[in-house]
Amino acid sequence: TQLLEQSPQFLSIQEGENLTVYCNSSSVFSSLQWYRQEPGEGPVLLVTVVTGGEVKKLKRLTFQFGDARKDSSLHITAAQTGDTGLYLCAGGGGAQKLVFGQGTRLTINP
Amino acid sequence: EAGVTQSPTHLIKTRGQQATLRCSPISGHTSVYWYQQALGLGLQFLLWYDEGEERNRGNFPPRFSGRQFPNYSSELNVNALELEDSALYLCASSLVPGTDTQYFGPGTRLTVL
């Protein structure tokens, strides 16, 4: 069974600080997706990484896929209150299903 | 371009009843996926449909079923509802069949009393 573990589960920081969220597994994934979900809404796709060692940037967000394709990280620089939300990583689990981590609930305080 | 749409937004049923949830994929997408997001359990894969056929199924009992129509919209049926079926049910679609890049709808909140 493929599992993804996210850490931390909860993170509360002040506006302007930097943060990193981790997504780890003992399994190899063909790809890794990061989503952000607001309360009562569906997850919104932020990025897909497919190559080991790949780094993608989306404004203040930097996503990295581990060399062995077993882990990923999301780094946010100079966090803003609008970054508040539930961040989910999801791995390509084969047979065309996504395996999701439990999520990191991020709160950015003004 | 319209995103994935789901209906109803909320659904309240009692134990033992049946629930039907509907999903329309992004135009041009032929694959539809269903996930359950129960409190504290994260998103769990339920079903994958493509070109009208069920292609894969998650670890859920047979009372969870569905179908995909010729216009690629999909329906999820949950029979003999149990209290623990209360969850947000999310539908996703993809342009490339079976791809990992999936786009989600807003979900249907099912409450079983």
Side-chain angles (χ1 to χ4, degrees):
Chain A
T1 303
Q2 293 175 303
L3 294 172
L4 275 170
E5 291 191 9
Q6 282 187 243
S7 61
Q9 288 188 38
F10 299 92
L11 183 58
S12 179
I13 63 171
Q14 294 300 120
E15 195 170 24
E17 294 183 352
N18 302 330
L19 67 107
T20 302
V21 175
Y22 299 93
C23 180
N24 295 296
S25 176
S26 58
S27 303
V28 175
F29 288 94
S30 57
S31 68
L32 216 297
Q33 280 68 232
W34 284 93
Y35 291 85
R36 188 173 114 182
Q37 187 177 20
E38 304 288 348
E41 298 180 10
V44 175
L45 180 65
L46 297 175
V47 77
T48 297
V49 285
V50 296
T51 305
E54 183 176 1
V55 177
K56 281 192 174 180
K57 292 191 175 184
L58 187 66
K59 296 182 180 178
R60 296 175 293 101
L61 278 61
T62 302
F63 305 86
Q64 184 162 9
F65 202 10
D67 291 340
R69 291 185 289 134
K70 291 182 179 182
D71 55 87
S72 181
S73 64
L74 158 60
H75 182 80
I76 300 179
T77 303
Q80 300 176 357
T81 55
D83 295 327
T84 293
L86 178 67
Y87 288 81
L88 297 161
C89 66
Q96 290 72 43
K97 67 178 182 181
L98 291 178
V99 175
F100 279 84
Q102 292 290 82
T104 294
R105 189 160 300 280
L106 175 63
T107 302
I108 309 299
N109 303 300
Chain B
E1 180 184 277
V4 176
T5 59
Q6 292 186 244
S7 64
T9 304
H10 295 90
L11 190 57
I12 299 175
K13 295 285 186 178
T14 56
R15 199 167 46 183
Q17 285 188 315
Q18 179 198 36
T20 298
L21 289 64
R22 296 179 177 82
C23 170
S24 291
I26 292 172
S27 178
H29 289 196
T30 62
S31 276
V32 170
Y33 313 81
W34 287 95
Y35 291 83
Q36 181 195 66
Q37 188 175 29
L39 198 61
L41 292 180
L43 276 86
Q44 305 288 324
F45 169 75
L46 264 166
L47 291 158
W48 169 40
Y49 291 95
D50 184 66
E51 296 289 355
E53 299 284 332
E54 180 182 303
R55 303 296 185 182
N56 195 17
R57 180 181 187 86
N59 189 25
F60 281 84
R63 56 191 187 82
F64 286 84
S65 65
R67 53 181 173 165
Q68 187 178 33
F69 300 99
N71 66 353
Y72 304 114
S73 67
S74 177
E75 201 172 81
L76 174 68
N77 294 293
V78 188
N79 293 319
L81 285 166
E82 300 178 2
L83 297 178
E84 50 265 34
D85 295 333
S86 294
L88 181 67
Y89 288 83
L90 293 160
C91 171
S93 72
S94 67
L95 178 61
V96 177
T99 186
D100 297 335
T101 301
Q102 300 174 13
Y103 299 88
F104 284 82
T108 292
R109 172 74 60 186
L110 173 64
T111 302
V112 182
L113 303 175

